[in-house]
């Protein structure tokens, strides 16, 4: 009846309900349609439930995926937070360690200063005297005479090279720092080419400008105030380079370091100037007696070069002694 393929031994068509056995009771077509309608509704119900179940499964998988992503995000945030806390903790520990080291170094310098003062011949003994500066300065300068002389020659040979000449000039100006720290060994003449001096180029010219601007009007007031201020700032360039402080701060600290010792520093410079002038005058007079007039010019030039070298080295040695002792007053 429905035209579907059935087996030979079939008794009833499963599609339309037709009975192949004539003796079987015929089924009411209305009942067949009702049954088919019921089966169709049941099939639709099963399909709907299957789709709803698939939808629930899909939503459940999506929710699980969102939960996994949320947990991964929370884990990343937790790790990032722990990393930040660890870095902050390390930074705090580093700052605390640097602060402790700085305080320990400050206390050590203060203790060394007190021990030095306590070891003097009598309480309140001066850090420097004219005799101690002249004797130690002469010994320190003569010990490094050839090294300093070679450094001057290297400086003169390279003074025409731009940028390099700034670093060598700063290095030559800071020779007393090197001498004050190497009392047991000689300095190297090639230290003037060290690149570390070029990083003070801005501070060096800034310091010279500040000192020039201040000293010019001071010398206009009958010269004496200018001399006092110049002596008070005589350690500024050494402190700026050695302690790595600003030009203005180095001038302040130099004034504090030289307080009470300006007269001693002035006497040292005055004695060196007078004594060296007297010696060169006597030497030139004696040479004039024994050397012919025609050769006197060449001999005089050689003597003057040696004179300038010896006096310059002597001055540097005395400056090194003054700086070594008075810098102990700087915290």
């Amino acid at each position: 009846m429905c035209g579907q393929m059935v087996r030979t031994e079939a008794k009833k068509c499963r599609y339309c309900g037709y009975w192949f056995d004539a003796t079987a009771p015929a089924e009411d077509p209305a009942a067949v349609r009702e049954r088919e309608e019921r089966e169709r509704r049941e099939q639709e119900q099963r399909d709907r439930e299957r789709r709803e179940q698939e939808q629930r499964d899909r939503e459940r998988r999506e929710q699980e995926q969102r939960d996994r992503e949320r947990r991964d995000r929370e884990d990343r945030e937790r790790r990032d937070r722990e990393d930040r806390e660890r870095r902050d903790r390390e930074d705090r520990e580093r700052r605390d360690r640097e602060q402790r080291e700085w305080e320990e170094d400050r206390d050590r310098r203060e203790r060394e200063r007190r021990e030095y003062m306590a070891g003097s011949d009598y309480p309140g003994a001066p850090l420097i005297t004219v005799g101690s500066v002249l004797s130690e300065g002469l010994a320190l300068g003569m010990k490094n005479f050839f090294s300093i002389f070679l450094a001057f020659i290297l400086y003169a040979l390279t003074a025409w090279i731009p940028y390099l000449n700034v670093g060598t000039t700063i290095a030559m100006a800071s020779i007393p720092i090197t001498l004050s720290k190497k009392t047991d060994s000689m300095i190297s003449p090639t230290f003037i080419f060290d690149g570390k001096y070029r990083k003070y180029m801005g501070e060096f010219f800034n310091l010279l400008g500040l000192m020039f601007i201040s000293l010019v009007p001071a010398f206009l007031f009958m010269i004496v105030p200018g001399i006092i201020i110049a002596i008070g700032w005589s350690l500024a360039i050494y402190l700026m380079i050695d302690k790595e402080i600003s030009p203005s701060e180095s001038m302040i600290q130099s004034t504090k370091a030289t307080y009470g010792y300006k007269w001693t520093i002035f006497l040292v410079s005055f004695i060196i100037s007078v004594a060296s002038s007297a010696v060169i005058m006597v030497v030139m007079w004696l040479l004039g007696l024994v050397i012919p007039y025609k050769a006197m010019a060449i001999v005089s030039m050689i003597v003057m070069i040696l004179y300038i070298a010896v006096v310059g080295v002597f001055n540097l040695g005395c400056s090194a002694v003054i700086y070594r002792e008075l810098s102990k007053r700087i915290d």
Side-chain angles (χ1 to χ4, degrees):
M1 293 179 63
C2 65
Q4 297 296 328
M5 296 294 293
V6 297
R7 295 180 178 180
T8 304
E9 63 273 15
K11 299 296 183 178
K12 180 182 178 181
C13 179
R14 61 176 177 147
Y15 299 104
C16 64
Y18 175 76
W19 289 89
F20 299 104
D21 187 1
T23 61
E27 189 175 3
D28 186 11
V32 173
R33 286 193 298 272
E34 183 180 353
R35 186 180 68 253
E36 292 176 349
E37 181 66 22
R38 185 174 60 256
E39 292 176 352
R40 183 183 60 81
R41 287 195 300 270
E42 291 175 354
Q43 183 64 33
E44 290 178 352
Q45 179 65 22
R46 287 192 296 271
D47 293 341
R48 184 167 56 254
E49 291 176 354
R50 188 186 70 254
R51 289 194 297 271
E52 291 176 355
Q53 183 63 33
E54 292 176 352
Q55 177 67 21
R56 287 194 295 271
D57 293 341
R58 185 167 56 252
E59 292 178 352
R60 179 177 55 79
R61 289 192 297 270
E62 292 176 354
Q63 182 64 32
E64 291 176 354
Q65 177 67 22
R66 288 194 293 272
D67 291 340
R68 283 195 300 271
E69 293 176 353
R70 179 178 54 80
R71 287 194 298 270
D72 293 340
R73 184 173 60 255
E74 291 176 353
D75 290 340
R76 288 195 300 271
E77 292 176 353
R78 178 179 54 80
R79 289 193 297 270
D80 293 340
R81 184 171 61 255
E82 291 176 353
D83 291 339
R84 287 195 300 271
E85 292 176 354
R86 179 180 54 80
R87 290 194 297 269
D88 293 341
R89 184 171 60 255
E90 291 176 352
D91 290 340
R92 288 193 300 271
E93 292 175 354
R94 178 181 54 80
R95 289 193 295 269
D96 293 341
R97 184 171 59 255
E98 292 176 352
Q99 180 67 20
R100 287 194 302 270
E101 291 176 354
W102 180 83
E103 292 176 353
E104 291 174 357
D105 185 63
R106 182 195 59 189
D107 295 339
R108 179 183 56 79
R109 292 197 302 269
E110 179 65 19
R111 186 169 58 254
E112 290 177 352
R113 187 183 67 82
R114 292 178 179 177
E115 290 176 355
Y116 174 82
M117 295 299 297
S120 300
D121 294 337
Y122 57 91
L127 293 174
I128 59 173
T129 61
V130 176
S132 64
V133 171
L134 291 176
S135 60
E136 290 187 50
L138 178 61
L140 188 60
M142 292 300 101
K143 179 180 179 180
N144 294 273
F145 176 80
F146 292 104
S147 297
I148 298 174
F149 187 70
L150 290 176
F152 271 102
I153 294 176
L154 293 174
Y155 173 72
L157 293 176
T158 58
W160 58 274
I161 303 177
Y163 184 63
L164 179 65
N165 53 10
V166 178
T168 54
T169 300
I170 298 174
M172 294 298 295
S174 63
I175 285 179
I177 301 176
T178 308
L179 290 176
S180 66
K181 296 181 178 180
K182 289 190 175 183
T183 56
D184 298 331
S185 60
M186 292 188 297
I187 65 174
S188 173
T190 59
F191 83 98
I192 64 173
F193 299 113
D194 195 336
K196 69 177 183 180
Y197 294 104
R198 288 191 289 274
K199 72 177 183 178
Y200 301 106
M201 180 169 57
E203 290 84 352
F204 178 73
F205 289 117
N206 190 1
L207 177 61
L208 293 182
L210 290 174
M211 295 176 67
F212 178 78
I213 293 174
S214 302
L215 288 176
V216 168
F219 274 105
L220 296 178
F221 286 85
M222 304 302 292
I223 301 177
V224 175
I227 296 175
I228 296 174
I229 295 175
I231 295 174
W233 290 344
S234 59
L235 306 181
I237 186 171
Y238 309 145
L239 292 171
M240 183 189 70
I241 297 173
D242 189 26
K243 306 296 183 181
E244 294 187 349
I245 56 179
S246 64
S248 57
E249 181 65 20
S250 66
M251 296 166 69
I252 296 173
Q253 295 298 331
S254 177
T255 303
K256 293 180 179 179
T258 56
Y259 181 77
Y261 292 96
K262 293 184 178 67
W263 182 246
T264 302
I265 298 173
F266 174 77
L267 285 179
V268 170
S269 300
F270 180 77
I271 292 174
I272 292 175
S273 300
V274 173
S276 59
S277 299
V279 170
I280 193 63
M281 290 177 62
V282 173
V283 170
M284 295 300 292
W285 178 71
L286 293 175
L287 290 175
L289 296 177
V290 298
I291 296 177
Y293 178 76
K294 294 182 179 180
M296 189 61 186
I298 298 176
V299 174
S300 299
M301 186 181 346
I302 297 174
V303 171
M304 288 302 298
I305 293 175
L306 293 175
Y307 164 76
I308 294 173
V310 172
V311 175
V313 170
F314 189 19
N315 272 306
L316 290 174
C318 293
S319 298
V321 175
I322 293 172
Y323 175 73
R324 184 190 65 199
E325 300 302 327
L326 297 187
S327 61
K328 297 176 180 178
R329 309 177 75 185
I330 305 300
D331 293 333

